[in-house]
Structures are given as C-alpha cells and as structure tokens.
Amino acid sequence: MTSAAIIVAAGRGTRAGGAVPKQWQLLAGRPVVAYTLDAFRGVVDVIVLAIHPDDRDLAADFGVELALGGETRSDSVRKALETLENRGITKVLIHDAARPLVPQDVIAAVIGALEDHPGAAPALPVSDALWVGQQGRVVGTQNRDGLWRAQTPQGFHFDTILSAHRAHPGRAADDVEVARWAGHEVAIVLGHENNLKLTYPQDFARAEHILKGLGMDIRLGNGFDVHAFTEGDHVWLCGVRVPHGKALLGHSDADVGMHALTDAIYGALAEGDIGVHFPPSDPQWKGAESHIFLRHAMARVAARGFQLANCDVTLICERPKIGPHQAAMRDALAQIMGVDAARISVKATTSERLGFTGREEGIAAMATACLVQRA
Ligand code: MG
C-alpha cells in the first residue's frame, strides 16, 4: 500500500486578516502550513502541497512535492491528484492547510476506515441547538439529529477520487461531496475539537492556546558511522585535526564523528541521512568538509521549528587518544552548530582490542541527538 496526502494551500483566504493568505501566516512563530505538513510526515509515503502560483517562494523550503493549484479548490485538488497518477498510490488523504492541529490519531482513523470503505472523513456531531436567524432575530429552529460538522483529512481510494474529480462539473464544497456525487459511500470517523479550521483572527489565538496545552514535541535520533584507516599523518574527528600515523579513508574528509552526529540529527527529523542529502555519486561532494553536512542538518532543524536540546558522540578506537582533544572537539561542534558547548558531549571508548577497531583498521562512531519544539 502506498499512501499520499494532498495538503490544499492554494486559497487566497484573507478573512483571517494579514498581508498573506492565512495558511502562510505565523502561528506561534511558524507558518501554519509547517504544522500541517508535520502532522502527515512519517504517516503517509508522499506529501503534495497544492499551492497558488504566487506562493512558490513561500513554499520552497518545506521538503515536500509542490503542485500548482487551479481556479477553484476542486481544480487544485484534481491537479494535485493528477501529479500522483501512475505512481502506485492506493490511498490518498486530502486535507486543508488551514487545519494545522489535526491529531495523528484522526489521520490514522481515516486511513484505517479506508480498509472497508472507498471514502472516509472525520466529523463531529452537532451538539449546540441550531437556529434559523433573520435580521438578528431567531425565526425558527433546526433539528440537529443526524447533523455533523465536517473536517479533513478526507480519505479515498486513489482511483475512485481521481475519476470522480475528473467527471465532476466543479465547485464542490469538499471532496466528500465530489465522491458522493459519483456514487461512492463515505464513512464518518470521529474528528477532534483541536482540528479547527483557521478562518478568523480569533482562531489563531485559540490555536496557539491549544498548542501550549499540547506541550513540547521531543524527537530523538541516532547515527552510526565507520571509516577505514589509510596512509596519512592525521585524522579529522569532530571538526578537529588530530595528528596520527594514519588517515581515514572516505569520499569527504572522513570525519566519522561528525558524520554520526549529522545522521543522528537527520534521524531525529526523520529526514533520511547524509547520503540522501549529499549523494556520494555526486562529484561535487568529493573531499567536502564535513561541517557542510552538519550545518545543513542544523538548518533543517531550524526550518522545522526545532532546537537541539543536546547531543552525545562516542568515538570507538584504540588510537589516537581522544582525551586530549575532547574539549576542542566540543568547541568545534558548538561553533558549527550554533549551540552552547554545554549541550554537546564527545567521549571515547576502545573495543578492548576486539574487532576491526581493536585491530586498528578504522574508527567507528555513534551519536544521539535530542531535538525539542516548544509550543
Ligand atoms: Mg561517513
């Protein structure tokens, strides 16, 4: 099963006030759409952000696929669906960018319901009494039995919703309307009050209040790396040039400690590893200094709204002796990463002369990184 999410961010909605459409405005210091995308990362295989052509610059740094939207919401969804055609996608979720606080268990419930239904969407039963009003006066009441407040993500079997959108005359309120128009059953799963749609300025204050209540988002990652010895007279370890009777062999400067740390940070973000961002097949990274990789990982941390809480690197080798260089290594990493050295640990161990590190054939390194995002 390959799943995708389309985040619809092409609208020009300005009822929320502000100079840019609401999905690009800041919520507790980050663009609304950044929260929305994070809710789907790691939950689906592909994320497509459907944007207005004018917003290309705003959307460039989120690390997801972009699709240019159309005249109406329905057009935007259809165009985004078409970018996913013939890619083996079987389930697709369609979600409003302006619902940044969608809980992951709501997303999971929609995906789960697609096992038994061609469509599924979250909603909440209407609990308030409903009135009909005219000119500021109550002129009637409306029975609320069987009424639901619709939310997103609305999930569908991919081929079903693509053909429904292609056949639909346009101007549907949402994708459930399109699916039902084409004759497909849509199951209701329970939505969540936190899954509010930011529409008016006061909605932003409410969303920030909810974010505070959700507390801190904490992410851990680990990294491991090995480089073999070759002829030479020094090694680079955690940004420090250490004199030694051998060098480390590698595509870059072979700083095994910095590589493990960089991979730990990418791991905490669930954004792959050094090889994904800097392919060894690309000659431009040959002989590259490893701080380029670490700086990039830290830029991703900032772009995702996280801070490094701490990190811990262990170098595994018999020689060179690490102790005399430990403080310099912490300082070098602190400078590259832009964090206090008190948050950075570098330590070393031998492997009791066992294995490849014991035979002094190379150096291994492992690292852990902890990232936090304050609401
Ligand atoms: Mg390496």
Side-chain angles (χ1 to χ4, degrees):
M1 195 274 302
T2 308
S3 58
I6 293 170
I7 309 301
V8 187
R12 313 316 286 154
T14 48
R15 277 178 292 178
V20 291
K22 58 191 179 179
Q23 63 271 25
W24 302 108
Q25 292 181 25
L26 297 185
L27 175 66
R30 302 176 71 208
V32 167
V33 73
Y35 296 92
T36 314
L37 293 172
D38 280 355
F40 289 85
R41 289 183 205 273
V43 179
V44 294
D45 301 306
V46 184
I47 300 176
V48 176
L49 183 60
I51 59 164
H52 191 278
D54 292 349
D55 296 338
R56 255 182 281 222
D57 289 348
L58 293 168
D61 289 335
F62 291 108
V64 296
E65 295 184 21
L66 301 180
L68 295 184
E71 285 285 297
T72 64
R73 185 187 185 284
S74 302
D75 284 342
S76 298
V77 171
R78 195 198 69 249
K79 289 174 81 176
L81 285 166
E82 285 171 346
T83 70
L84 292 166
E85 201 177 6
N86 300 321
R87 291 171 59 180
I89 306 288
T90 57
K91 294 177 181 176
V92 63
L93 306 180
I94 303 165
H95 184 71
D96 295 327
R99 294 185 188 270
L101 304 185
V102 55
Q104 286 195 327
D105 52 3
V106 170
I107 300 173
V110 173
I111 294 173
L114 292 178
E115 293 299 321
D116 300 317
H117 306 275
L124 289 171
V126 172
S127 55
D128 294 325
L130 294 176
W131 296 337
V132 180
Q134 266 172 23
Q135 293 162 343
R137 290 195 176 83
V138 179
V139 296
T141 56
Q142 173 79 47
N143 187 343
R144 66 177 176 238
D145 290 350
L147 293 185
W148 295 79
R149 294 152 52 204
Q151 298 187 337
T152 68
Q154 300 179 349
F156 305 93
H157 294 179
F158 182 80
D159 294 341
T160 302
I161 194 66
L162 176 58
S163 43
H165 263 283
R166 280 178 168 157
H168 194 270
R171 302 252 171 218
D174 61 12
D175 305 289
V176 166
E177 185 179 328
V178 173
R180 292 196 64 257
W181 174 86
H184 304 295
E185 177 195 274
V186 179
I188 298 174
V189 305
L190 198 59
H192 198 288
E193 288 292 352
N194 286 0
N195 190 18
L196 77 166
K197 185 172 186 176
L198 302 183
T199 308
Y200 300 104
Q202 59 268 30
D203 297 332
F204 279 72
R206 198 176 140 214
E208 291 197 4
H209 185 75
I210 293 168
L211 271 172
K212 284 200 180 85
L214 296 175
M216 209 180 265
D217 192 353
I218 299 172
R219 307 288 178 96
L220 287 178
N222 68 64
F224 178 75
D225 196 26
V226 172
H227 281 265
F229 281 128
T230 184
E231 283 177 20
D233 61 4
H234 69 277
V235 292
W236 281 97
L237 290 172
C238 295
V240 173
R241 189 184 191 277
V242 179
H244 188 51
K246 297 167 180 172
L248 287 173
L249 187 63
H251 189 72
S252 64
D253 63 13
D255 189 329
V256 63
M258 210 183 290
H259 293 181
L261 176 56
T262 304
D263 274 350
I265 294 166
Y266 285 135
L269 293 170
E271 289 195 16
D273 57 24
I274 294 175
V276 170
H277 298 279
F278 301 93
S281 55
D282 187 337
Q284 70 168 306
W285 307 121
K286 182 155 179 57
E289 294 178 41
S290 297
H291 66 81
I292 294 168
F293 311 149
L294 184 55
R295 280 183 212 280
H296 177 265
M298 289 302 290
R300 291 302 308 150
V301 169
R304 291 276 301 275
F306 284 88
Q307 293 178 320
L308 183 98
N310 75 301
C311 62
D312 184 18
V313 181
T314 301
L315 299 168
I316 306 164
C317 58
E318 303 293 329
R319 286 186 305 166
K321 291 297 166 207
I322 304 302
H325 306 285
Q326 239 163 344
M329 289 174 179
R330 293 175 64 202
D331 287 344
L333 293 176
Q335 216 207 333
I336 293 164
M337 300 169 79
V339 301
D340 197 293
R343 295 182 182 275
I344 299 171
S345 159
V346 176
K347 56 200 200 306
T349 184
T350 72
S351 54
E352 300 290 341
R353 300 230 143 257
L354 295 171
F356 68 88
T357 57
R359 291 189 299 271
E360 298 192 42
E361 294 166 2
I363 298 181
M366 48 196 284
T368 304
C370 177
L371 309 179
V372 294
Q373 186 181 90
R374 286 182 182 81

